[in-house]
Amino acid sequence: MADIREASVTLPSDPASVAAARSFAADVVSEWGLPAGGDPVHTVRLIVSELATNAVQHTFGQSPAFTVDLALERGDGLRIGVTDSHPRRPQRLPAAVRQDTGRGMAIVRSLTAEGRGRLTVTPTPQGGKTVWIALPWAAPAHS
C-alpha cells in the first residue's frame, strides 16, 4: 500500500454541490477503509458539509467553485481541505440565542477538538484560502 491516499473534487459554488461534496467525502473515506456508517465517516461527512456550505454561502459570489481535498497518510492521519477563491477567513461569530445560521465553524471546531485534531487556514497563491482539518486517524492496514 502507498503511504498516502489522496482524492479531490471541484464543484460549482451552488447549494446543490454541498450534498455532492458530502457524498464524495463519505464514499472516499469508506473506500479507504474507515468504517462506513461509523463515527469517523459521520464526522468527515459533517465537517465537509459545514465547510462546503461556508464556501458556497460566505464567498458572496466571488468564488465560482470550491475544491474538497482528502488525504489519508499512514502514521499521520486524515487531512480534509476545502478551498475557495475568496480571501475572507472564516469568522468566529457570537452564538446568539435565536440565531439560525453562523454555527458551522463552531461545529467544525468542536468536531476537530473532539477528534484531537487541528484546524488551520492557509492562503492560496490565487488569493483564496483553504480551511484544513487534520485528524489523527491511522490509515487502515492493507496487505
Side-chain angles (χ1 to χ4, degrees), residues 29-30 43 61 64 81 103 112 122 141:
V29 297
S30 293
T43 297
R103 293 188 180 95
T112 302
T122 58

Side-chain angles (χ1 to χ4, degrees), residues 20 39 41 51 53 79 84 88 97 104-105 109 121 130:
D39 286 343
V41 173
L51 294 178
T53 297
R79 286 185 309 120
D84 63 59
R88 181 176 173 224
V97 175
M105 286 309 295
R109 288 178 199 283
V121 181
T130 303

Side-chain angles (χ1 to χ4, degrees), residues 13-139:
S13 202
D14 179 88
S17 294
V18 174
R22 187 171 48 238
S23 293
F24 166 79
D27 291 346
V28 166
V29 297
S30 293
E31 179 183 306
W32 288 346
L34 295 177
D39 286 343
V41 173
H42 176 70
T43 297
V44 169
R45 185 184 302 119
L46 186 52
I47 287 171
V48 168
S49 183
E50 293 299 334
L51 294 178
T53 297
N54 284 352
V56 170
Q57 290 184 346
H58 301 294
T59 58
F60 309 104
Q62 295 180 24
S63 184
F66 66 93
T67 300
V68 177
D69 292 298
L70 301 168
L72 185 59
E73 298 181 53
R74 185 183 302 200
D76 196 30
L78 181 68
R79 286 185 309 120
I80 304 164
V82 176
T83 303
D84 63 59
S85 57
H86 193 279
R88 181 176 173 224
R89 294 173 65 92
Q91 303 296 308
R92 190 179 294 223
L93 300 176
V97 175
R98 297 192 184 269
Q99 186 174 343
D100 290 332
T101 62
R103 293 188 180 95
M105 286 309 295
I107 291 168
V108 170
R109 288 178 199 283
S110 176
L111 289 169
T112 302
E114 191 175 286
R116 298 176 321 280
R118 68 184 184 284
L119 181 149
T120 57
V121 181
T122 58
T124 65
Q126 299 79 20
K129 66 181 167 306
T130 303
V131 179
W132 289 105
I133 307 299
L135 298 169
W137 294 333

